Amino acid sequence: MALSVLVVDDSPMARKMLIKSLPPDWDIDIRQAGNGHEALAAYREGRADVIFLDLNMPGLDGYGVLETLQREDLNCFVIVVSADVQPQARERVMQMGAIAFVQKPVDAAKLEPVLREYGVVV
Amino acid sequence: MNAALLTEEQNEALQEIANIGMGRAGRSIAGVFDEFVELSVPRVREARLDSLTEAVAGLIPEETLTAVRQGFFGRVRGEVIVVFGMNGCRDLAGLMGYGDSLVAADEDELLLDVANVIVSACLGGIAEQLSTELSVSAPSVLASHVPPAGLFGATREAPDGSGALIVEVNFRLERHSFACSLLMMLPADGVGAIRQALDDFLASF
């Protein structure tokens, strides 16, 4: 069965760049969300095995999403994709359960090792 | 209302490129102060110079502001203005070990340094995205201790008042009152170059 992948970013451009960086032969069903609330709604519908999560978003931001996911018994892989390259940002999200922190701009070479490490792509 | 200067796609690309520049700038100032920096979502808009005052007042709700300007040129050109609220600056001075003894000259020096760190990192990130290099002029004080209305006074030479693009970014130190805004202004007669650069960027992925 295809894996559900949720791409969360307020910038449509950033979502596009991320989707283009995913392995082309990956059997996935992609959904997009423009903010944290939409992301959580999709997650609760069971539509997110893997979440690519931006941090700075209007409304509910990436940290808010991670917090809620932790409370709700995090049952997906979260890969944070952010332009915020402060070391502290990385530490924070890793403590909040993200499996990886990928710096923007994202490309296939940055994503592939992460996806392989966690076996979401073989 | 003028015709849009950028297409929706170009606008989104500029916003994302600014986002990356802002992230770099955030890391740089976080390094200087050893504090976590909260970043805003960057905003791109078409604005007339005379509406800037209003925009700045909305970004930094302080009565007294100081602004530092730096020009940049290369494939695209324009000017970056970093606006500081003066209450937050006192906090910043404390953080940098100046205590209460900060004299005006030191204060300007401090703000020029901080602005330079922010602007260099931000423009570096932007240039990298556009696969180009941008030169940055030395920072200078545009206005010191003025109310928002005094920032862009008559003495200031506008790049071109009729429809410049403005990219707004906000930085805030998490446990302090220090905050500043970066306004990147692209003059109307340079918009052709930025459009072309954005199209090249869009075609590259």
Side-chain angles (χ1 to χ4, degrees):
Chain A
M1 207 182 81
L3 204 62
S4 301
V5 169
L6 178 64
V7 179
V8 189
D9 201 304
D10 57 305
S11 158
M13 180 64 48
R15 297 200 298 266
K16 230 179 281 178
M17 287 171 78
L18 186 118
I19 291 166
K20 293 222 172 156
S21 306
L22 296 173
D25 53 351
W26 199 13
D27 183 20
I28 48 172
D29 169 27
I30 300 176
R31 282 195 56 178
Q32 302 188 34
N35 60 53
H37 295 293
E38 283 177 32
L40 288 174
Y43 171 76
R44 289 178 185 133
E45 282 171 27
R47 307 285 297 270
D49 300 317
V50 178
I51 301 179
F52 292 97
L53 181 67
D54 180 29
L55 287 182
N56 293 323
M57 292 182 287
L60 186 66
D61 66 9
Y63 295 106
V65 171
L66 278 168
E67 228 173 76
T68 311
L69 288 176
Q70 268 189 321
R71 263 205 318 273
E72 297 188 6
D73 204 14
L74 180 68
N75 189 22
C76 60
F77 287 120
V78 179
I79 298 166
V80 168
V81 181
S82 177
D84 188 342
V85 290
Q86 297 178 75
Q88 271 203 45
R90 184 196 161 85
E91 280 164 34
R92 285 181 188 197
V93 301
M94 298 303 277
Q95 272 170 15
M96 296 175 87
I99 63 164
F101 183 97
V102 178
Q103 297 186 354
K104 284 184 181 178
V106 72
D107 59 40
K110 282 185 190 166
L111 280 187
E112 213 186 282
V114 175
L115 298 174
R116 281 193 196 289
E117 187 185 343
Y118 284 88
V120 288
V121 170
V122 283
Chain B
M1 185 70 196
N2 294 337
L5 293 174
L6 298 182
T7 65
E8 198 180 323
E9 211 181 20
Q10 287 167 338
N11 195 76
E12 284 172 5
L14 181 55
Q15 197 151 342
E16 190 53 20
I17 287 169
N19 191 31
I20 288 165
M22 177 186 80
R24 301 282 174 86
R27 178 176 59 188
S28 293
I29 38 175
V32 171
F33 302 126
D34 209 12
E35 292 281 339
F36 188 69
V37 178
E38 291 172 8
L39 307 169
S40 71
V41 178
R43 224 175 100 173
V44 177
R45 57 203 187 99
E46 290 170 25
R48 299 173 64 94
L49 214 56
D50 50 20
S51 66
L52 265 183
T53 304
E54 210 176 305
V56 169
L59 291 169
I60 302 188
E62 282 201 36
E63 280 166 21
T64 314
L65 307 170
T66 289
V68 173
R69 73 195 290 187
Q70 257 178 301
F72 63 92
F73 41 94
R75 185 170 181 194
V76 293
R77 62 183 181 82
E79 187 171 294
V80 179
I81 295 177
V82 184
V83 182
F84 300 93
M86 293 319 292
N87 280 331
C89 279
R90 274 188 278 283
D91 191 25
L92 184 69
L95 204 59
M96 298 297 282
Y98 284 97
D100 289 332
S101 61
L102 187 70
V103 296
D106 288 342
E107 188 183 81
D108 280 357
E109 190 86 354
L110 174 62
L111 295 184
L112 288 170
D113 280 348
V114 173
N116 197 31
V117 167
I118 293 174
V119 172
S120 304
C122 184
L123 287 175
I126 289 172
E128 204 179 297
Q129 294 312 294
L130 295 176
S131 308
T132 185
E133 279 177 25
L134 297 173
S135 308
V136 186
S137 68
S140 61
V141 174
L142 169 66
S144 187
H145 293 87
V146 294
L151 272 187
F152 307 102
T155 51
R156 196 180 124 60
E157 210 174 302
D160 182 344
S162 61
L165 275 173
I166 297 176
V167 182
E168 298 168 1
V169 173
N170 259 325
F171 302 91
R172 186 172 293 282
L173 283 189
E174 190 176 51
R175 292 180 289 132
H176 297 269
S177 60
F178 173 76
C180 66
S181 287
L182 181 153
L183 302 169
M184 190 168 87
M185 321 222 289
L186 303 162
D189 61 0
V191 167
I194 185 88
R195 258 191 231 137
Q196 187 56 53
L198 291 171
D199 284 344
D200 292 349
F201 168 80
L202 286 163
S204 71
F205 67 88

